[in-house]
Amino acid sequence: MFSILVSPPGVSMMVAQLPQPEANPSAALTLLRKHANKLDTLKALQLLPLTTPICEIYQFLEKVLQEKTSRKRRGQVMRSLLYSEHLQVEELMMSHQAHKIVITEENMCAVCKKKIGNSAFARYPTGLIVHYFCCKDVPISLAYS
């Protein structure tokens, strides 16, 4: 729509009785101001006539720069939040990995009551030790209370 307002297409020979369409720069500039964040800035500026004064596109450029700056700041905040979350997860993982567990021949699975031995096992925050296969059968009240 913007490109049609700035430079309308020519009329073909078949419809010669129609008047030649004229450019409507004021409507194009109004469209630029109202929909600055929806238009491709580079294409819009390329379509404008070279004689367009800067003062007429000032509001458009100001809105575009504000939107770009706002997007950049939101991205920076999001990146910082994600990095903070990443550091918290790493710290939590390090604290969980710091707990030493010694499995001996006497350790029994809290679910099936068999010896853990050399089997894979899981440890809950409460200190409950179960076979890895049995961990899905542990009631929530035992695992986290």
Side-chain angles (χ1 to χ4, degrees):
M1 174 119 159
F2 177 73
S3 62
I4 292 173
L5 288 172
V6 174
S7 58
V11 178
S12 67
M13 296 297 233
M14 301 285 278
V15 285
Q17 45 289 62
L18 292 177
Q20 188 70 7
E22 294 181 18
N24 191 349
S26 63
L29 292 171
T30 304
L31 186 70
L32 267 182
R33 281 186 221 105
K34 286 184 179 179
H35 303 287
N37 57 347
K38 298 174 188 167
L39 296 172
D40 182 7
T41 308
L42 185 60
K43 284 184 182 178
L45 291 175
Q46 287 173 344
L47 289 172
L48 284 174
L50 295 176
T51 58
T52 306
I54 295 293
C55 62
E56 290 183 6
I57 58 172
Y58 177 77
Q59 288 179 339
F60 164 70
L61 293 174
E62 189 175 38
K63 284 183 181 180
V64 167
L65 288 175
Q66 285 174 351
E67 176 65 26
K68 300 281 184 194
T69 304
S70 176
R71 252 191 234 159
K72 182 180 177 182
R73 286 186 186 137
R74 277 194 305 267
Q76 288 172 336
V77 167
M78 183 61 79
R79 185 179 67 212
S80 295
L81 288 172
L82 289 172
Y83 183 68
S84 174
E85 183 181 22
H86 168 73
L87 291 177
Q88 289 174 355
V89 169
E90 276 190 351
E91 181 184 9
L92 184 64
M93 185 178 74
M94 287 172 32
S95 71
H96 285 301
Q97 289 177 345
H99 294 288
K100 183 177 179 183
I101 301 171
V102 178
I103 302 293
T104 63
E105 293 296 322
E106 291 81 38
N107 287 93
M108 302 284 278
C109 175
V111 176
C112 68
K113 307 297 183 208
K114 293 181 182 176
K115 291 183 179 180
I116 301 272
N118 290 331
S119 302
F121 65 92
R123 180 190 174 273
Y124 286 92
T126 59
L128 185 68
I129 298 174
V130 296
H131 285 110
Y132 183 74
F133 183 76
C134 297
C135 71
K136 67 177 188 269
D137 300 329
V138 175
I140 293 175
S141 60
L142 282 177
Y144 296 101
S145 59

